[in-house]
């Protein structure tokens, strides 16, 4: 591992770049995706007071919502696709509720997660050309995702910008996979020694 003093002499050291990635969402064309917020988490803490001291203890881990921004082409129609996901999750319009056959439908987690494909994968690539699989440097998997907010954008007579749609997703947890240090296609996060090596 290069020390801080050796860093600038290492031409092989390549930082991760914000434009080298692909997002895999069930049925969504990758070319319409503009940006995505990477997974993040917070760790709750519980204080304990003793005399005039305060001590803190870690608690639950909570994964934060993530956001995706996509453009809305005429074909494929992103607005229509998102509404199809909502209906597949069990949503029924109020004026159609009484016309349902059998038991009334409502939104369920299983139906929503299934409509999203069960998982979302975010893959980051390195600078090297060649086989895409060998060039993967980071792979996130968001488990049990479902949509909590959709903003279909703004219309403006004075603008010729593309219409963007903002999607907020909640998920239960995220999994990170990294390539082994030997450069193989296997992934390993088991070792806790030399974490930043």
């Amino acid at each position: 591992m290069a020390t801080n003093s050796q860093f600038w002499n290492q031409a092989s050291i390549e930082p991760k770049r914000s434009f080298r990635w692909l997002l895999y969402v069930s049925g969504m064309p990758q070319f319409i995706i503009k940006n995505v917020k990477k997974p993040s988490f917070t760790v709750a803490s519980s204080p304990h007071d003793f005399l005039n001291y305060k001590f803190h203890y870690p608690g639950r881990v909570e994964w934060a919502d993530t956001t995706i921004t996509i453009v809305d082409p005429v074909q494929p129609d992103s607005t229509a696709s998102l509404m199809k996901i909502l209906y597949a999750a069990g949503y029924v319009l109020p004026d159609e509720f009484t016309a349902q056959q059998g038991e009334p439908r409502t939104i369920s987690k299983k139906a929503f997660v299934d409509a999203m494909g069960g998982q979302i994968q975010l893959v980051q690539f390195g600078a090297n050309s060649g086989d895409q699989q060998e060039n993967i440097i980071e792979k996130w998997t968001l488990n049990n995702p479902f949509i909590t907010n959709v903003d279909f954008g703004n219309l403006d007579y004075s603008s010729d910008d593309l219409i963007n749609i903002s999607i907020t997703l909640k998920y239960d947890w995220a999994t990170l996979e990294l390539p082994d240090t030997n450069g193989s296609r296997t992934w390993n996060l088991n070792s806790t020694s030399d974490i930043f090596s």
Side-chain angles (χ1 to χ4, degrees):
M1 182 177 76
T3 63
N4 289 335
S5 61
Q6 297 171 324
F7 172 80
W8 301 111
N9 296 326
Q10 300 290 321
S12 60
I13 294 178
E14 177 73 24
K16 297 176 182 178
R17 304 292 292 274
S18 62
F19 64 89
R20 296 184 182 129
W21 57 274
L22 288 172
L23 187 68
Y24 297 87
V25 183
S26 177
M28 183 178 291
Q30 292 169 327
F31 71 87
I32 69 171
I33 303 171
K34 293 185 63 174
N35 60 59
V36 60
K37 182 181 180 299
K38 292 178 66 174
S40 60
F41 65 84
T42 57
V43 180
S45 64
S46 297
H48 174 68
D49 296 318
F50 175 69
L51 296 177
N52 61 333
Y53 307 107
K54 185 180 288 287
F55 302 93
H56 299 273
Y57 295 88
R60 295 188 176 111
V61 174
E62 182 175 354
W63 291 91
D65 295 353
T66 191
T67 55
I68 303 170
T69 302
I70 63 175
V71 296
D72 190 10
V74 175
Q75 190 58 247
D77 191 329
S78 298
T79 296
S81 298
L82 289 167
M83 292 305 295
K84 287 178 184 176
I85 290 174
L86 184 62
Y87 297 146
Y91 178 73
V92 178
L93 294 171
D95 58 352
E96 297 175 0
F97 185 83
T98 56
Q100 294 182 87
Q101 301 296 322
E103 294 296 324
R105 294 182 65 221
T106 57
I107 291 178
S108 72
K109 179 176 180 176
K110 181 182 185 311
F112 220 145
V113 170
D114 288 347
M116 296 295 297
Q119 292 181 331
I120 293 173
Q121 288 194 329
L122 173 59
V123 178
Q124 289 181 247
F125 302 99
N128 297 329
S129 60
D131 184 9
Q132 194 177 54
Q133 284 293 334
E134 291 185 2
N135 200 26
I136 294 174
I137 57 175
E138 189 174 299
K139 180 164 63 174
W140 286 96
T141 301
L142 282 60
N143 297 282
N144 299 332
F146 61 93
I147 296 172
T148 58
N149 182 269
V150 173
D151 183 342
F152 288 111
N154 299 313
L155 301 176
D156 185 346
Y157 282 123
S158 65
S159 173
D160 58 1
D161 291 341
L162 302 178
I163 294 179
N164 293 328
I165 300 176
S166 177
I167 305 166
T168 303
L169 298 168
K170 193 173 286 293
Y171 55 98
D172 288 336
W173 79 96
T175 305
L176 174 63
E177 296 175 277
L178 300 171
D180 273 347
T181 54
N182 63 10
S184 69
R185 297 189 190 185
T186 58
W187 306 80
N188 180 25
L189 278 179
N190 295 327
S191 175
T192 56
S193 62
D194 299 327
I195 290 177
F196 277 91
S197 63

